[in-house]
């Protein structure tokens, strides 16, 4: 409710656009089908009591995107550019996860943790690779990450070979679907955990402030004693952690890795989530919560279109239209114009008590 | 000097093969038959991986073959490789071309050199006289086999969720055609027809949205195994039974080993396959074990029913591990 207070108390925050987008989508769906957001409690085929419904599908389905968007926000803020290799890197992380699981004699809690740690380390190394190119060699982030974007899925292929290896284990199933006894999908819980971890990280360190200052003006930050190279590198390594988490969720959902399709095209959705979240794509001020809401907006849009039986080949086109609108409305130019317009209206009415949008 | 010697040896070998060809037939042969295979790389797909493995196991030294292979996705590299095999003096040239055009010159040269050409998996746009035979798949047949199986189930009503592969790909067109004909004829109802572009997660979302809408369905026709798995994951989460004795019939394609194991466990009902196994047919033709009246040989497509599938089928026909 904090965002709402901000919304009405003037000084429309960064979250205005994503929140308005979500509200509009909810209203649209409720008009279209009043039962759209109905949640049902039922038994799944494993005999667990679980929640199902469109709302659960949306929140659950957006999990990978939300996790990636958190890391992407940090990279965007620090470097003023985006990592377009997250999908390919997630395929690598997922492949490593499956490779380790398959080489273990039996899959138990320990091997799953080991596999995840291996995937995490590999993803962090690839993140560091991107980070070095960007931070040390000062290559444009999109160009630097283009390398991994191009070769990432080939690397993933080398790890496991051409077929689609599967892993079946109750633990993997619990990560990707439901933990027995908990009716909420596990990926949703993982997103919540990641969000809390980020909150704690920002609370106990000055990373948020440092990232922001590096993003706003790297040289000025350096003159103030902030190692901007390190901050940029760190943002990519943190994104690497997010990538491995997203890859793990993706693999666990089905207990299968298809290096060609795992989180395919997710990089574009991730960048969009960051943009819809009202973050400046040129670096500087950022809000991770905005990106998370952005991820849910994208997923809600997809599920809405599916529910309307729009052909999935057309979904991308419809999505593009909505997103163009959102991004244009959220652009500084429109915001400024809108702000001026509101100011004008205000001064005409001579009301000071209610400050409008800016 | 080395090259020259190799050439001479190859020439002698080729000659001796021709001389002993009749005698070698049937018995496995005492002389090695030199076979050059120009193929796409195994990394292309699970299909190709199985295809390459099949070639390697059939054209092995034990079976009296000397196998040389070249893998590329690029037509010009493939052409060069074929050229190389001709210069080397192989007896047989087996080709799965990256593109259908540009092969005239090379095949003519092969003919002049007395090298017999077999095409497999894919046709090439050349005159029939330039090759011995082409062992290819009939994609449309694969869909028909599957849909005929479905019709044989004699369900009272067919409410089908159809999850398509990447639109426009050969496999998608072949697997969609037969089902579309049923939709058009009204024998089956289309609950939803969506492409998931081979993406498992997307398939799951599509099925989820149908479940959430509350619409009734009793068949899932997914155009590959991965998407079928995605669809089944959605069913599992919603507590809908599937497979043999289940509410929903699950159909997949490709026959990965893991998918066939799902069939064996009764979780799925049907798995169709575009057979990657052409090596045996070609080997039989080379050794004269079989003859064909037509140049174009349609490779038999398989379809497995969960009720009749056996472990040995999985070992023989399953792809991957």
């Amino acid at each position: 409710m904090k965002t709402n207070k901000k919304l009405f108390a003037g000084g429309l925050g960064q979250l205005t656009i994503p929140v308005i987008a979500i509200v509009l989508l909810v209203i649209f769906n409720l008009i279209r089908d009043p039962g759209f957001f109905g949640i049902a409690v039922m038994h799944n085929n494993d005999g667990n009591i679980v929640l199902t419904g469109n709302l659960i599908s949306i929140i659950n389905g957006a999990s990978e995107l939300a996790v990636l968007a958190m890391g992407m926000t940090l990279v965007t803020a620090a470097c003023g550019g985006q990592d377009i290799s997250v999908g390919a890197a997630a395929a690598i992380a997922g492949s490593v996860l499956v490779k380790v699981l398959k080489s273990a004699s039996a899959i138990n809690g320990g091997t799953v943790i080991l596999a995840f740690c291996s995937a995490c380390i590999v993803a962090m190394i690839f993140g560091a690779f991107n980070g070095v190119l960007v931070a040390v060699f000062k290559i444009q982030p999109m160009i630097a990450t283009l390398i991994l974007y191009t070769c990432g899925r080939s690397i993933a292929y080398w790890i496991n070979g051409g077929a689609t290896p599967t892993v079946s284990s109750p633990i993997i199933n619990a990560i990707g679907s439901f933990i027995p006894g908990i009716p909420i999908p596990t990926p949703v819980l993982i997103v919540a955990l990641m969000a809390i971890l980020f909150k704690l990280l920002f609370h106990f360190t000055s990373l948020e402030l440092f990232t922001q200052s590096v993003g706003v003006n790297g040289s000025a930050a350096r003159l103030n004693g902030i190692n901007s190279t390190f901050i940029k590198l760190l943002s990519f390594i943190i994104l690497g952690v997010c990538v491995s988490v997203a890859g793990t969720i993706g693999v666990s959902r089905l207990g299968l890795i298809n290096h060609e399709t795992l989180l395919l095209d997710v990089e574009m959705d991730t960048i969009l989530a960051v943009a819809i979240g009202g973050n400046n794509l040129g670096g500087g001020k950022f809000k991770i919560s905005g990106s998370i809401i952005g991820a849910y907006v994208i997923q809600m849009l997809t599920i809405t279109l599916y529910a309307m039986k729009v052909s999935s080949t057309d979904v991308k086109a419809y999505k593009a239209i909505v997103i163009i609108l959102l991004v244009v409305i959220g652009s500084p130019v429109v915001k400024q114009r809108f702000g001026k317009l509101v100011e004008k209206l205000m001064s005409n009415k001579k009301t000071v008590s209610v400050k409008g949008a800016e | 000097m080395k090259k020259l010697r190799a050439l001479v040896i190859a020439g002698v070998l080729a000659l001796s093969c021709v001389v002993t060809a009749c005698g070698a037939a049937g018995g496995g042969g005492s002389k090695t038959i030199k076979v050059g295979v120009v193929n796409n790389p195994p990394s292309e797909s699970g299909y190709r991986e199985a295809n390459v493995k099949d070639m390697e196991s059939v054209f092995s030294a034990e079976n009296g073959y000397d196998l040389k292979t070249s893998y590329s996705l690029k037509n010009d590299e493939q052409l060069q490789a074929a050229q190389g095999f001709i210069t080397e003096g192989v007896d047989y040239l087996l080709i799965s071309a990256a593109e259908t055009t540009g092969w005239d010159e090379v095949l003519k040269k092969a003919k002049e050199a007395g090298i017999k050409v077999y095409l497999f998996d894919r046709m090439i746009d050349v005159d029939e006289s330039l090759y011995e035979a082409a062992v290819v798949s009939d994609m449309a047949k694969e869909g028909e086999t599957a849909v005929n199986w479905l019709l044989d189930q004699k369900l009272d009503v067919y409410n089908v969720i159809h999850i398509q592969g990447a639109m426009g790909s050969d496999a998608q067109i072949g697997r969609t055609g037969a089902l579309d004909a049923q939709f058009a004829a009204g024998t089956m109802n289309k609950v939803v027809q969506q492409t998931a572009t081979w993406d498992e997660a997307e398939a799951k979302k599509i099925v989820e949205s149908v479940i959430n809408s509350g619409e009734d369905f009793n068949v899932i026709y997914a155009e590959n195994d991965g998407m079928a798995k995605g669809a089944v994951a959605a069913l599992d989460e919603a507590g809908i039974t599937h497979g043999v004795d289940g509410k929903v019939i699950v159909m997949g394609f490709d026959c990965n080993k893991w998918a066939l194991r799902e069939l064996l466990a009764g979780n799925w009902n049907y798995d169709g396959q575009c057979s990657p196994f052409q090596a045996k047919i070609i080997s039989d033709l080379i050794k004269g074990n079989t003859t064909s009246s037509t140049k174009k040989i349609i490779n038999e497509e398989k379809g497995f029913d969960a009720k009749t599938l056996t472990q040995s089928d999985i070992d023989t026909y399953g792809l991957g591990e």
Side-chain angles (χ1 to χ4, degrees):
Chain A
M1 287 300 99
K2 200 173 129 202
T3 49
N4 276 353
K5 212 187 257 170
K6 231 178 177 177
L7 226 154
F8 294 118
L12 275 180
Q14 196 193 318
L15 297 179
T16 318
I17 299 294
V19 168
I20 288 178
I22 278 220
V23 169
L24 282 179
L25 275 171
V26 168
I27 293 171
F28 175 75
N29 273 310
L30 285 177
I31 292 170
R32 203 178 52 77
D33 171 14
F36 187 75
F37 290 105
I39 293 178
V41 182
M42 54 168 72
H43 287 272
N44 70 1
N45 280 350
D46 296 330
N48 300 322
I49 295 171
V50 299
L51 298 174
T52 60
N54 279 314
L55 192 59
I56 301 293
S57 291
I58 291 163
I59 299 174
N60 186 9
S63 301
E64 291 98 320
L65 191 54
V67 171
L68 287 173
M70 292 181 211
M72 188 70 86
T73 313
L74 213 57
V75 166
T76 302
C79 308
Q82 288 76 35
D83 182 344
I84 58 168
S85 69
V86 285
I92 297 174
S95 297
V96 170
L97 183 89
V98 171
K99 181 83 184 171
V100 175
L101 286 176
K102 282 194 88 73
S103 50
S105 52
I107 298 173
N108 53 37
T111 47
V112 172
I113 290 169
L114 177 73
F116 172 70
C117 289
S118 318
C120 204
I121 290 166
V122 170
M124 282 160 81
I125 291 170
F126 279 108
F129 169 76
N130 284 335
V132 167
L133 288 181
V134 172
V136 179
F137 294 99
K138 309 265 185 280
I139 301 172
Q140 270 283 315
M142 212 164 266
I143 304 302
T145 53
L146 187 62
I147 300 165
L148 192 57
Y149 171 80
T150 314
C151 70
R153 291 191 189 269
S154 304
I155 296 172
Y157 164 74
W158 291 333
I159 297 170
N160 275 314
T164 47
T166 53
V167 281
S168 54
S169 143
I171 301 174
I172 293 296
N173 191 34
I175 296 173
S177 179
F178 290 91
I179 298 170
I182 299 176
I184 300 165
T186 320
V188 177
L189 302 177
I190 295 175
V191 173
L193 181 73
M194 289 297 287
I196 292 168
L197 284 178
F198 267 103
K199 196 87 198 160
L200 289 177
L201 185 69
F202 291 157
H203 186 78
F204 287 107
T205 68
S206 311
L207 186 65
E208 190 172 17
L209 182 68
F210 286 178
T211 305
Q212 211 157 297
S213 45
V214 167
V216 171
N217 189 336
S219 335
R222 197 167 40 80
L223 290 177
N224 279 297
I226 300 171
N227 186 345
S228 61
T229 308
F230 174 72
I231 294 290
K232 284 180 182 175
L233 186 58
L234 187 65
S235 70
F236 272 97
I237 294 174
I238 292 173
L239 178 60
V241 176
C242 295
V243 160
S244 66
V245 171
T248 305
I249 296 175
V251 168
S252 305
R253 275 190 200 282
L254 299 165
L256 159 152
I257 172 98
N258 181 342
H259 63 92
E260 283 299 339
T261 58
L262 180 74
L263 295 175
L264 189 64
D265 294 340
V266 78
E267 44 278 336
M268 293 310 148
D269 277 352
T270 311
I271 296 169
L272 279 173
V274 175
I276 293 174
N279 296 294
N280 184 355
L281 292 185
K285 281 194 82 171
F286 69 99
K287 252 204 175 80
I288 285 195
S289 51
S291 304
I292 298 174
I293 299 175
Y296 291 131
V297 168
I298 292 173
Q299 189 65 20
M300 195 182 283
L301 197 55
T302 312
I303 298 280
T304 304
L305 290 170
Y306 273 149
M308 291 167 73
K309 292 209 175 163
V310 173
S311 155
S312 49
T313 33
D314 304 343
V315 161
K316 281 181 186 152
Y318 284 104
K319 243 162 107 175
I321 295 169
V322 177
I323 284 158
I324 290 170
L325 285 175
L326 284 177
V327 175
V328 168
I329 292 169
S331 69
V333 178
V334 174
K335 268 188 186 165
Q336 213 177 6
R337 292 259 169 92
F338 188 66
K340 271 187 190 155
L341 190 75
V342 170
E343 223 167 79
K344 225 173 169 183
L345 288 173
M346 290 299 159
S347 56
N348 283 348
K349 282 185 184 171
K350 303 250 183 242
T351 42
V352 199
S353 55
V354 184
K355 283 191 223 155
E358 56 175 312
Chain B
M1 194 60 213
K2 246 186 189 168
K3 230 181 196 170
L4 195 67
R5 198 161 56 194
L7 250 166
V8 170
I9 293 171
V12 170
L13 265 175
L15 208 67
S16 58
C17 278
V18 172
V19 172
T20 56
C22 301
S30 52
K31 293 275 186 291
T32 54
I33 304 168
K34 289 186 92 175
V35 174
V37 175
V38 179
N39 203 346
N40 297 280
S43 59
E44 183 209 50
S45 58
Y47 171 92
R48 193 63 59 188
E49 200 185 15
N51 183 240
V52 165
K53 260 190 205 154
D54 181 46
M55 288 286 163
E56 282 169 0
S57 69
V58 169
F59 296 109
S60 62
E62 298 99 77
N63 292 345
Y65 289 102
D66 177 13
L67 177 68
K68 293 194 187 317
T69 54
S70 166
Y71 305 120
S72 175
L73 280 172
K74 292 196 181 127
N75 213 41
D76 52 337
E77 285 179 16
Q78 284 196 336
L79 285 166
Q80 272 177 18
Q83 193 85 53
F85 286 142
I86 293 169
T87 321
E88 257 180 70
V90 293
D91 305 317
Y92 294 94
L93 195 55
L94 275 49
I95 303 167
S96 172
E99 284 168 33
T100 53
T101 52
W103 285 88
D104 292 77
E105 196 92 348
V106 171
L107 295 194
K108 272 179 196 151
K109 269 187 193 162
K111 195 170 188 184
E112 279 164 24
I115 296 168
K116 290 183 174 166
V117 175
Y118 286 91
L119 309 182
F120 65 96
D121 174 34
R122 296 179 186 179
M123 294 296 291
I124 295 180
D125 236 355
V126 290
D127 192 72
E128 265 199 2
S129 64
L130 289 177
Y131 55 86
E132 294 295 305
V135 183
V136 291
S137 298
D138 184 351
M139 292 289 187
K141 195 76 188 293
E142 196 188 356
E144 280 163 27
T145 314
V147 169
N148 286 338
W149 174 88
L150 186 55
L151 285 170
D152 283 343
Q153 304 309 301
K154 306 246 184 307
L155 303 183
D156 297 333
V157 62
Y158 288 92
N159 293 323
V160 184
I161 295 182
H162 182 191
I163 304 168
Q164 296 169 294
M167 299 304 279
S169 62
D170 277 354
Q172 180 270 321
I173 292 168
R175 290 165 190 182
T176 295
L179 193 58
D180 262 349
Q182 298 296 329
F183 288 149
T187 43
M188 295 182 185
N189 307 323
K190 174 163 67 179
V191 176
V192 74
Q193 184 179 48
Q194 288 277 34
T195 173
T197 53
W198 310 126
D199 184 349
E200 300 77 14
E202 206 62 31
K204 180 168 179 256
K205 281 180 200 166
I206 290 168
V207 175
E208 249 177 37
S209 86
V210 177
I211 295 171
N212 290 337
S213 75
E215 269 176 283
D216 203 30
F217 61 94
N218 60 354
V219 178
I220 286 178
Y221 184 99
E223 290 181 358
N224 80 354
D225 286 340
M227 297 192 296
K229 194 169 168 77
V232 167
L235 296 181
D236 276 337
E237 282 185 5
I240 298 170
T241 57
H242 51 83
V244 183
D245 306 326
K247 178 178 173 282
V248 176
I249 286 182
V250 179
M251 301 172 73
F253 285 92
D254 287 350
C255 290
N256 286 296
K257 281 207 169 103
W258 58 261
L260 291 177
R261 282 195 285 268
E262 294 280 0
L263 248 71
L264 198 61
N267 296 330
W268 299 12
N269 301 70
Y270 178 89
D271 206 351
Q273 185 176 51
C274 167
S275 172
F277 308 113
Q278 300 106 356
K280 181 78 174 56
I281 300 171
I282 296 173
S283 172
D284 281 346
L285 287 169
I286 288 176
K287 291 190 172 174
N289 294 347
T290 54
T291 50
S292 174
S293 52
T294 56
K295 289 241 166 175
K296 189 172 175 181
I297 300 166
I298 303 293
N299 200 4
E300 190 199 344
E301 307 301 348
K302 292 225 154 34
F304 296 101
D305 186 324
K307 285 177 191 150
T308 53
L309 180 80
T310 60
Q311 182 61 45
S312 77
D313 286 338
I314 299 180
D315 298 334
T316 319
Y317 300 108
L319 307 186
E321 50 185 60

